[in-house]
Amino acid sequence: MIMCDVERLYKIFRQLYHADPVIARAPGRINLIGEHTDYNNGFVLPAAIDKSVYVAVSKRSDNEIHLHAEEYNENYIADIENLHQSKFHWSGYVLGVAEQLQKRNCPLTGFNMIIDGDLPLGAGMASSAAIECAAAFAFNELFELELSKLDMVKIAQKAEQDFVGLQCGIMDMFTSIFGKKDHVICLDCRSFEYEYYPFKQDGVKIVLLDTSIKHSLASSEYNTRRRQCEEGVAIIQQHEPEVQSLRDVNMSMLNKYVAHNTIIYNRCRFVVEEIERLVDACKDLQLNDIAAFGKKMYATHTGLSKLYEVSCKELDLLVDLVRPDRSVIGARMMGGGFGGCTINIVKTDAVEELIYNTRNAYRDKTGMNLNAYVAVIGGGANIMEELMHV
Ligand code: GLA
């Protein structure tokens, strides 16, 4: 969303609710490598992008919550004293955050809110986390809660887990809030220690190819994967009591204790290998060896598809379509899986042709349209201060 669109949001808000809003922005994310490792206490290597969700919010003098989503042109009314999820609905991302704040005894009143933005929804760029983080930032400002950034990350994550029901890890929210322009974040999801690495985009671009498959199956399968990893840890713990998570597991433990259970073994093997792969990939980045990095992305895709089984035929197709192209340095499915997009590192001068060719081939094979985005690494969530006094 460009600046004047934020001003538009401000004006729509005043027309709709006759009040001056606080406006918060929270971006979507990409993840270069390290998938399904966050809830296994491993590492991830994400970055915030320059596409965001914006929420505008003001207090009401009663207990009512009035929400409006520009994208769907839909309104939703709720009661701050009686928050509940009505099936799966976009309002849950905001109400879930409000509920978490109430659980922490934060004094909330009713509020009016508009949700808007330019981040594609359900395309695997963590739009739900962006809504939650934007809401947390906006509430923090509006109700003067003085929460730290890490508090807001945890509140947004808990909202997704408890209210929406996805037992997600911390990557999406952490990235949306801690993102830094032109940098990827190497985050240790066990200690929350993190380091920013400059991501040099000279000569290459990060291209997202969107299957247009909305990952509706994702939340139940995602929760199943998480349980399967925990099952693997429980088996190993019987022999190695100091093991707390798959972060503490190596292949020899898996071969010794888990080989009899193929599904659990495959799930755990992917995660153990992926954690190791990420550590090596960070070294590639430091050495500026983008070719070695790219190979690891392909290896991640194979693991996600064959061992972790969270890909789908459209994601596999998109990776197979670009694989023979020497201007594509690395490609893989990104995020939770079962739809959404692939992330591709592509030589800059070949980007347009790649998008054109892949779009045609994808349409031929699936009959579906392919949306493509060139991701630009941007900064983390913020309050749009300058707009609060126009
Ligand atoms: C989703 C979750 C994240 C992470 C990824 C997979 O985006 O929200 O916590 O687990 O899937 O890496």
Side-chain angles (χ1 to χ4, degrees):
M1 180 190 276
I2 49 174
M3 200 60 189
C4 65
D5 287 329
V6 181
E7 279 170 20
R8 198 190 113 245
L9 169 61
Y10 188 89
K11 285 187 185 133
I12 297 175
F13 193 95
R14 290 188 58 141
Q15 276 163 13
L16 195 62
Y17 298 123
H18 312 290
D20 289 336
V22 163
I23 300 183
R25 178 196 69 91
R29 63 101 187 91
I30 51 170
N31 185 26
L32 289 184
I33 202 160
E35 218 65 88
H36 289 273
T37 44
D38 57 354
Y39 54 85
N40 287 302
N41 277 351
F43 298 93
V44 287
L45 198 62
I49 55 174
D50 67 342
K51 294 189 185 302
S52 301
V53 165
Y54 290 73
V55 305
V57 64
S58 71
K59 285 182 195 169
R60 291 176 61 92
S61 51
D62 57 19
N63 283 340
E64 289 185 7
I65 297 174
H66 288 228
L67 304 177
H68 173 77
E70 271 291 278
E71 168 95 7
Y72 307 118
N73 194 19
E74 238 180 78
N75 296 319
Y76 190 84
I77 297 185
D79 178 352
I80 189 89
E81 299 299 337
N82 181 23
L83 295 174
H84 56 268
Q85 170 75 305
S86 53
K87 285 194 278 152
F88 173 79
H89 191 259
W90 54 265
S91 58
Y93 303 123
V94 173
L95 302 183
V97 172
E99 184 192 59
Q100 286 306 318
L101 293 171
Q102 283 178 329
K103 284 188 175 159
R104 291 173 180 230
N105 297 320
C106 296
L108 300 195
T109 62
F111 56 88
N112 298 315
M113 181 183 278
I114 297 182
I115 306 168
D116 196 7
D118 60 357
L119 179 64
L121 303 177
M125 297 173 217
S127 51
S128 51
I131 301 176
E132 289 152 353
C133 292
F137 253 71
F139 291 142
N140 186 46
E141 179 79 14
L142 184 70
F143 296 108
E144 297 174 44
L145 305 176
E146 302 198 351
L147 299 165
S148 71
K149 282 185 170 186
L150 191 58
D151 280 339
M152 289 191 268
V153 167
K154 289 181 180 168
I155 286 165
Q157 183 194 16
K158 203 89 176 75
E160 179 85 33
Q161 292 180 332
D162 291 1
F163 208 83
V164 181
L166 183 81
Q167 297 309 310
C168 65
I170 201 155
M171 169 172 74
D172 300 352
M173 294 79 186
F174 195 95
T175 313
S176 186
I177 289 184
F178 282 89
K180 181 171 169 181
K181 194 171 175 358
D182 298 330
H183 288 74
V184 294
I185 312 171
C186 180
L187 169 66
D188 179 338
C189 301
R190 179 164 65 187
S191 64
F192 304 138
E193 279 170 16
Y194 61 100
E195 213 178 316
Y196 292 112
Y197 293 163
F199 186 77
K200 298 193 193 72
Q201 291 197 356
D202 336 327
V204 293
K205 294 266 183 249
I206 298 168
V207 179
L208 306 179
L209 299 175
D210 180 3
T211 57
S212 304
I213 305 283
K214 303 285 174 215
H215 38 171
S216 55
L217 244 185
S219 65
S220 61
E221 287 295 322
Y222 184 97
N223 293 347
T224 304
R225 293 300 175 282
R226 191 171 177 150
R227 266 202 312 279
Q228 289 167 335
C229 292
E230 285 161 4
E231 214 177 307
V233 170
I235 297 170
I236 297 167
Q237 261 173 350
Q238 291 166 8
H239 311 274
E240 313 262 356
E242 72 291 348
V243 165
Q244 299 294 312
S245 67
L246 288 180
R247 170 79 174 272
D248 308 321
V249 169
N250 55 38
M251 283 308 297
S252 86
M253 292 179 196
L254 279 184
N255 290 334
K256 208 155 143 197
Y257 307 125
V258 192
H260 62 280
N261 188 331
T262 312
I263 289 196
I264 303 294
Y265 177 85
N266 285 347
R267 305 297 190 244
C268 295
R269 178 178 156 197
F270 166 74
V271 173
V272 169
E273 288 179 348
E274 181 73 351
I275 293 174
E276 208 178 293
R277 204 159 25 232
L278 184 141
V279 173
D280 292 342
C282 286
K283 291 181 195 144
D284 296 338
L285 267 195
Q286 278 161 335
L287 296 171
N288 217 1
D289 188 349
I290 195 84
F293 190 93
K295 280 194 190 132
K296 294 189 177 70
M297 291 174 73
Y298 282 117
T300 291
H301 184 79
T302 305
L304 287 165
S305 180
K306 302 279 184 290
L307 297 174
Y308 216 60
E309 297 184 279
V310 291
S311 187
C312 62
K313 62 179 191 316
E314 293 80 3
L315 285 166
D316 289 345
L317 171 66
L318 281 180
V319 172
D320 288 341
L321 284 174
V322 304
R323 202 189 294 269
D325 190 330
R326 296 188 57 188
S327 59
V328 179
I329 291 148
R332 63 177 195 82
M333 58 150 279
M334 185 179 76
F338 303 101
C341 55
T342 61
I343 176 168
N344 305 261
I345 299 190
V346 184
K347 291 193 180 146
T348 305
D349 49 14
V351 168
E352 263 178 48
E353 201 184 335
L354 176 91
I355 293 176
Y356 180 82
N357 290 340
T358 316
R359 188 172 274 153
N360 286 340
Y362 190 70
R363 193 180 297 119
D364 284 352
K365 299 244 181 218
T366 66
M368 282 186 295
N369 187 34
L370 179 74
N371 289 317
Y373 310 91
V374 175
V376 175
I377 299 182
N382 64 298
I383 297 289
M384 308 301 290
E385 306 272 0
E386 66 276 22
L387 274 154
M388 286 161 62
H389 313 288
V390 289

